[in-house]
Amino acid sequence: MDILNPSAGESWDIVEVKSTNDVKDEQLYDVAFQQHCCQLNGVKINRCHIMHLNREYVKHGDIDPRQLFVTEDVTDRLAEFSDGLETRITEMLSVIDSNECPETAIGRHCNAPYDCLLQQECWKHLPEHNVMTLYSGKKLGEELMAKGILDISNIPEEIKLNNKQHIQKKCVICSQPHIDSAEIKSFLKGLKYPLYFMDFETFATAHTNLRRDQPVQEYSFPVFIACHY
């Protein structure tokens, strides 16, 4: 919990501060849990808020903290995210107290809403070219794993793949890269010299020292520029 503000009477307001530009579902689960913990410990909660970055704020000179953040009252949205909370807490405590690793299927949820810290452990049995690496094919990958198919090379012919997935499967089977020579030649013929190559990087933070900065605004800067005659 970030902020507990005195409110009406003997009650308090929860204020959770986030570095995003809007309110996300996982943040509402977070606040619902905080509210639940407070109530269990006799702390009366009046309202619950999420304070996040203001995407409309533009910095002129020094940062104005009152303009940098937006506070949203999410109290009336928490009922949905509190439903079944006690059951989930009981299940989590049971996992923590257990000496056995929980049996949970791996899949897209391992990266949602954040990357799981145990992913390397849980995914270590997968081959290098596993079905979860299919191009735009995470859902299909889960379906294949449920059937016991782990390697891309073992995907049955009757499984419908898109063009890029077919190329990927072919490359895995023959252990050779896919090279479209005709397309490459066509592209190269369209180039006009001299050619200029620019490498750049980007960064985004809540704020910078730059003028007219906005929260989490993408900034790019060149690393090098090269010319080929």
Side-chain angles (χ1 to χ4, degrees):
M1 185 181 302
D2 295 316
I3 302 173
L4 197 57
N5 270 341
S7 188
E10 297 181 354
S11 64
W12 300 80
D13 287 347
I14 291 175
V15 183
E16 182 69 8
V17 183
K18 298 297 183 183
S19 60
T20 55
N21 281 332
D22 49 24
V23 174
K24 300 184 181 299
D25 283 355
E26 57 266 26
Q27 297 168 357
L28 294 172
Y29 280 114
D30 189 4
V31 176
F33 177 73
Q34 294 176 17
Q35 181 188 49
H36 177 76
C37 291
C38 286
Q39 293 170 341
L40 284 181
N41 287 277
V43 180
K44 185 179 179 180
I45 299 300
N46 181 30
R47 310 298 295 180
C48 295
H49 307 268
I50 289 180
M51 181 185 293
H52 60 80
L53 295 170
N54 177 10
R55 67 171 69 248
E56 303 299 327
Y57 172 64
V58 179
K59 180 169 70 69
H60 297 280
D62 294 335
I63 294 172
D64 183 352
R66 295 183 181 276
Q67 296 296 322
L68 178 62
F69 291 97
V70 172
T71 301
E72 291 192 36
D73 189 330
V74 296
T75 310
D76 297 335
R77 299 172 60 183
L78 295 183
E80 173 189 352
F81 298 89
S82 299
D83 186 39
L85 180 57
E86 291 189 358
T87 299
R88 294 196 297 274
I89 292 174
T90 300
E91 291 173 349
M92 286 187 285
L93 291 175
S94 176
V95 171
I96 292 173
D97 292 336
S98 176
N99 293 322
E100 301 293 330
C101 182
E103 292 292 334
T104 302
I106 61 176
R108 290 171 292 176
H109 57 273
C110 297
N111 301 98
Y114 309 108
D115 292 344
C116 176
L117 297 177
L118 297 177
Q119 186 169 341
Q120 288 187 336
E121 178 66 23
C122 299
W123 291 50
K124 65 182 181 181
H125 66 287
L126 295 178
E128 178 183 2
H129 301 293
N130 63 79
V131 292
M132 290 301 291
T133 64
L134 271 173
Y135 180 84
S136 297
K138 292 290 191 295
K139 183 176 184 296
L140 176 58
E142 288 180 347
E143 296 171 355
L144 291 169
M145 285 197 299
K147 297 177 181 179
I149 303 170
L150 302 183
D151 197 286
I152 288 177
S153 63
N154 294 327
I155 298 176
E157 289 297 325
E158 63 268 19
I159 298 296
K160 186 177 180 180
L161 301 176
N162 61 39
N163 183 56
K164 291 185 178 180
Q165 291 169 347
H166 269 297
I167 293 174
Q168 188 178 2
K169 178 183 175 183
K170 179 181 177 181
C171 291
V172 172
I173 292 175
C174 68
S175 298
Q176 295 293 328
H178 172 75
I179 301 175
D180 190 335
S181 300
E183 186 66 26
I184 294 174
K185 289 179 180 179
S186 175
F187 172 78
L188 292 176
K189 284 182 179 180
L191 298 179
K192 295 182 179 180
Y193 288 83
L195 302 178
Y196 295 89
F197 302 87
M198 182 176 71
D199 183 21
F200 66 94
E201 301 293 340
T202 62
F203 73 95
T205 60
H207 68 83
T208 69
N209 291 324
L210 301 174
R211 296 173 60 187
R212 299 188 62 80
D213 173 41
Q214 288 183 276
V216 199
Q217 180 175 336
E218 289 281 354
Y219 286 96
S220 61
F221 58 96
V223 177
F224 76 86
I225 300 177
C227 179
H228 180 62
Y229 292 92

PDB file of all heavy atoms in Angstrom, residues 133-146:
ATOM      1  N   THR A 133       7.012 -21.113 -29.674  1.00  0.00           N
ATOM      2  CA  THR A 133       7.778 -20.127 -30.439  1.00  0.00           C
ATOM      3  C   THR A 133       7.228 -19.960 -31.851  1.00  0.00           C
ATOM      4  O   THR A 133       7.814 -19.243 -32.660  1.00  0.00           O
ATOM      5  CB  THR A 133       9.263 -20.522 -30.523  1.00  0.00           C
ATOM      6  OG1 THR A 133       9.392 -21.762 -31.258  1.00  0.00           O
ATOM      7  CG2 THR A 133       9.875 -20.706 -29.141  1.00  0.00           C
ATOM      8  N   LEU A 134       6.102 -20.594 -32.150  1.00  0.00           N
ATOM      9  CA  LEU A 134       5.478 -20.432 -33.459  1.00  0.00           C
ATOM     10  C   LEU A 134       5.147 -18.964 -33.709  1.00  0.00           C
ATOM     11  O   LEU A 134       4.665 -18.264 -32.817  1.00  0.00           O
ATOM     12  CB  LEU A 134       4.195 -21.253 -33.546  1.00  0.00           C
ATOM     13  CG  LEU A 134       4.299 -22.695 -34.022  1.00  0.00           C
ATOM     14  CD1 LEU A 134       2.947 -23.377 -33.867  1.00  0.00           C
ATOM     15  CD2 LEU A 134       4.769 -22.779 -35.460  1.00  0.00           C
ATOM     16  N   TYR A 135       5.395 -18.504 -34.904  1.00  0.00           N
ATOM     17  CA  TYR A 135       5.115 -17.118 -35.273  1.00  0.00           C
ATOM     18  C   TYR A 135       3.623 -16.829 -35.102  1.00  0.00           C
ATOM     19  O   TYR A 135       2.775 -17.481 -35.715  1.00  0.00           O
ATOM     20  CB  TYR A 135       5.544 -16.856 -36.717  1.00  0.00           C
ATOM     21  CG  TYR A 135       5.284 -15.449 -37.194  1.00  0.00           C
ATOM     22  CD1 TYR A 135       6.193 -14.438 -36.919  1.00  0.00           C
ATOM     23  CD2 TYR A 135       4.124 -15.145 -37.899  1.00  0.00           C
ATOM     24  CE1 TYR A 135       5.952 -13.131 -37.345  1.00  0.00           C
ATOM     25  CE2 TYR A 135       3.873 -13.851 -38.336  1.00  0.00           C
ATOM     26  CZ  TYR A 135       4.797 -12.853 -38.051  1.00  0.00           C
ATOM     27  OH  TYR A 135       4.545 -11.571 -38.473  1.00  0.00           O
ATOM     28  N   SER A 136       3.301 -15.874 -34.230  1.00  0.00           N
ATOM     29  CA  SER A 136       1.899 -15.506 -33.950  1.00  0.00           C
ATOM     30  C   SER A 136       1.054 -16.743 -33.663  1.00  0.00           C
ATOM     31  O   SER A 136      -0.087 -16.861 -34.141  1.00  0.00           O
ATOM     32  CB  SER A 136       1.288 -14.725 -35.131  1.00  0.00           C
ATOM     33  OG  SER A 136       1.979 -13.510 -35.335  1.00  0.00           O
ATOM     34  N   GLY A 137       1.617 -17.662 -32.889  1.00  0.00           N
ATOM     35  CA  GLY A 137       0.908 -18.917 -32.671  1.00  0.00           C
ATOM     36  C   GLY A 137       0.885 -19.407 -31.237  1.00  0.00           C
ATOM     37  O   GLY A 137       0.946 -20.614 -30.991  1.00  0.00           O
ATOM     38  N   LYS A 138       0.807 -18.477 -30.267  1.00  0.00           N
ATOM     39  CA  LYS A 138       0.800 -18.884 -28.861  1.00  0.00           C
ATOM     40  C   LYS A 138      -0.423 -19.739 -28.521  1.00  0.00           C
ATOM     41  O   LYS A 138      -0.323 -20.734 -27.800  1.00  0.00           O
ATOM     42  CB  LYS A 138       0.842 -17.648 -27.962  1.00  0.00           C
ATOM     43  CG  LYS A 138       2.160 -16.881 -28.013  1.00  0.00           C
ATOM     44  CD  LYS A 138       3.275 -17.673 -27.361  1.00  0.00           C
ATOM     45  CE  LYS A 138       4.523 -16.824 -27.159  1.00  0.00           C
ATOM     46  NZ  LYS A 138       5.132 -16.386 -28.429  1.00  0.00           N
ATOM     47  N   LYS A 139      -1.598 -19.366 -29.027  1.00  0.00           N
ATOM     48  CA  LYS A 139      -2.817 -20.129 -28.747  1.00  0.00           C
ATOM     49  C   LYS A 139      -2.706 -21.525 -29.344  1.00  0.00           C
ATOM     50  O   LYS A 139      -3.026 -22.529 -28.687  1.00  0.00           O
ATOM     51  CB  LYS A 139      -4.032 -19.407 -29.309  1.00  0.00           C
ATOM     52  CG  LYS A 139      -5.358 -20.088 -28.996  1.00  0.00           C
ATOM     53  CD  LYS A 139      -6.527 -19.256 -29.508  1.00  0.00           C
ATOM     54  CE  LYS A 139      -7.859 -19.873 -29.118  1.00  0.00           C
ATOM     55  NZ  LYS A 139      -8.077 -21.209 -29.736  1.00  0.00           N
ATOM     56  N   LEU A 140      -2.228 -21.617 -30.590  1.00  0.00           N
ATOM     57  CA  LEU A 140      -2.035 -22.914 -31.224  1.00  0.00           C
ATOM     58  C   LEU A 140      -0.991 -23.714 -30.463  1.00  0.00           C
ATOM     59  O   LEU A 140      -1.126 -24.933 -30.287  1.00  0.00           O
ATOM     60  CB  LEU A 140      -1.605 -22.730 -32.681  1.00  0.00           C
ATOM     61  CG  LEU A 140      -1.260 -24.000 -33.459  1.00  0.00           C
ATOM     62  CD1 LEU A 140      -2.431 -24.978 -33.473  1.00  0.00           C
ATOM     63  CD2 LEU A 140      -0.824 -23.663 -34.880  1.00  0.00           C
ATOM     64  N   GLY A 141       0.043 -23.036 -29.991  1.00  0.00           N
ATOM     65  CA  GLY A 141       1.077 -23.715 -29.220  1.00  0.00           C
ATOM     66  C   GLY A 141       0.526 -24.383 -27.983  1.00  0.00           C
ATOM     67  O   GLY A 141       0.894 -25.522 -27.642  1.00  0.00           O
ATOM     68  N   GLU A 142      -0.373 -23.700 -27.285  1.00  0.00           N
ATOM     69  CA  GLU A 142      -0.994 -24.279 -26.094  1.00  0.00           C
ATOM     70  C   GLU A 142      -1.801 -25.525 -26.461  1.00  0.00           C
ATOM     71  O   GLU A 142      -1.770 -26.534 -25.748  1.00  0.00           O
ATOM     72  CB  GLU A 142      -1.900 -23.249 -25.423  1.00  0.00           C
ATOM     73  CG  GLU A 142      -1.141 -22.128 -24.723  1.00  0.00           C
ATOM     74  CD  GLU A 142      -2.081 -21.139 -24.073  1.00  0.00           C
ATOM     75  OE1 GLU A 142      -3.300 -21.184 -24.365  1.00  0.00           O
ATOM     76  OE2 GLU A 142      -1.613 -20.300 -23.272  1.00  0.00           O
ATOM     77  N   GLU A 143      -2.537 -25.436 -27.578  1.00  0.00           N
ATOM     78  CA  GLU A 143      -3.352 -26.573 -28.006  1.00  0.00           C
ATOM     79  C   GLU A 143      -2.467 -27.771 -28.366  1.00  0.00           C
ATOM     80  O   GLU A 143      -2.818 -28.923 -28.055  1.00  0.00           O
ATOM     81  CB  GLU A 143      -4.211 -26.168 -29.207  1.00  0.00           C
ATOM     82  CG  GLU A 143      -5.231 -25.080 -28.878  1.00  0.00           C
ATOM     83  CD  GLU A 143      -5.925 -24.534 -30.116  1.00  0.00           C
ATOM     84  OE1 GLU A 143      -5.541 -24.945 -31.244  1.00  0.00           O
ATOM     85  OE2 GLU A 143      -6.850 -23.702 -29.970  1.00  0.00           O
ATOM     86  N   LEU A 144      -1.343 -27.506 -28.999  1.00  0.00           N
ATOM     87  CA  LEU A 144      -0.434 -28.590 -29.375  1.00  0.00           C
ATOM     88  C   LEU A 144       0.203 -29.218 -28.136  1.00  0.00           C
ATOM     89  O   LEU A 144       0.340 -30.446 -28.047  1.00  0.00           O
ATOM     90  CB  LEU A 144       0.642 -28.059 -30.322  1.00  0.00           C
ATOM     91  CG  LEU A 144       0.149 -27.647 -31.718  1.00  0.00           C
ATOM     92  CD1 LEU A 144       1.236 -26.898 -32.476  1.00  0.00           C
ATOM     93  CD2 LEU A 144      -0.284 -28.883 -32.510  1.00  0.00           C
ATOM     94  N   MET A 145       0.608 -28.385 -27.176  1.00  0.00           N
ATOM     95  CA  MET A 145       1.204 -28.921 -25.945  1.00  0.00           C
ATOM     96  C   MET A 145       0.205 -29.796 -25.187  1.00  0.00           C
ATOM     97  O   MET A 145       0.581 -30.800 -24.587  1.00  0.00           O
ATOM     98  CB  MET A 145       1.698 -27.791 -25.052  1.00  0.00           C
ATOM     99  CG  MET A 145       2.975 -27.134 -25.528  1.00  0.00           C
ATOM    100  SD  MET A 145       3.797 -26.147 -24.227  1.00  0.00           S
ATOM    101  CE  MET A 145       2.515 -24.946 -23.873  1.00  0.00           C
ATOM    102  N   ALA A 146      -1.066 -29.409 -25.225  1.00  0.00           N
ATOM    103  CA  ALA A 146      -2.099 -30.199 -24.551  1.00  0.00           C
ATOM    104  C   ALA A 146      -2.223 -31.589 -25.176  1.00  0.00           C
ATOM    105  O   ALA A 146      -2.666 -32.541 -24.518  1.00  0.00           O
ATOM    106  CB  ALA A 146      -3.435 -29.470 -24.609  1.00  0.00           C
TER     107      ALA A 146
END
